[in-house]
Amino acid sequence: MVPPRRYYVVSPDCVEAVGFDDLVVAEKVAVDAGEGTFLMDTRGMSYRPALARVEGGMLCYQGLGHIDPAQSPGENLIEGIRRREPAMVRAFLAKGADPNAIDAKGAPALVWAVASGREDVVRMLLAAGADAGRADPAGVTPLALALRQGKSEIAALLRG
């Protein structure tokens, strides 16, 4: 098993992620990969945004602040879902975050993804092995939430 890396270069469609330990190498790979490619720092540094995207051949920092290194990969995965940042979600899945991670109140990542309405993130979590039947502490499953919120495309994904 490959140990988790610090920096992840994420494809523009957020389907693939490759990890690196060296920032200079990761930056070069991201820029060489081209427009729309993301670079995610999964440990974060104070006063430096954690997410950059290649625009016009240069890395441009996105609005995402730094990552809390005290949080687990699963907590940061859920934070990426909350922030609606699929590149962050992909990076933490690549880093080894459990797709069935739960937040401090017991809500699973997939429930957060459904609530966010991000079909792409729901697909990522399901592909990574998230349990579509895992309910939150109130007994609400991802499918029940999708149906309640009228998210028919997401409901269809969850039905498999």
Side-chain angles (χ1 to χ4, degrees), residues 24-144:
V24 174
V25 171
E27 287 176 336
K28 180 170 180 9
V29 169
V31 170
D32 288 350
E35 289 298 302
T37 300
F38 295 94
L39 175 61
M40 179 76 205
D41 179 353
T42 62
R43 279 194 232 144
M45 296 170 34
S46 296
Y47 311 112
R48 182 179 176 143
L51 184 63
R53 184 175 182 173
V54 177
E55 297 175 5
M58 297 175 55
L59 280 168
C60 300
Y61 288 109
Q62 305 298 290
L64 180 65
H66 79 280
I67 299 303
D68 184 351
Q71 289 187 10
S72 71
E75 290 169 314
N76 279 313
L77 171 75
I78 292 173
E79 188 63 25
I81 296 167
R82 286 181 182 148
R83 292 181 184 197
R84 302 177 58 82
E85 291 287 354
M88 182 176 174
V89 173
R90 173 57 67 207
F92 278 100
L93 286 171
K95 189 175 179 80
D98 181 356
N100 290 303
I102 58 172
D103 70 9
K105 295 183 180 178
L110 194 53
V111 168
W112 277 103
V114 170
S116 76
R118 295 296 305 244
E119 186 176 335
D120 55 345
V121 173
V122 171
R123 282 184 193 280
M124 271 188 240
L125 291 173
L126 290 172
D131 178 359
R134 188 168 190 176
D136 70 9
V140 178
T141 65
L143 178 58

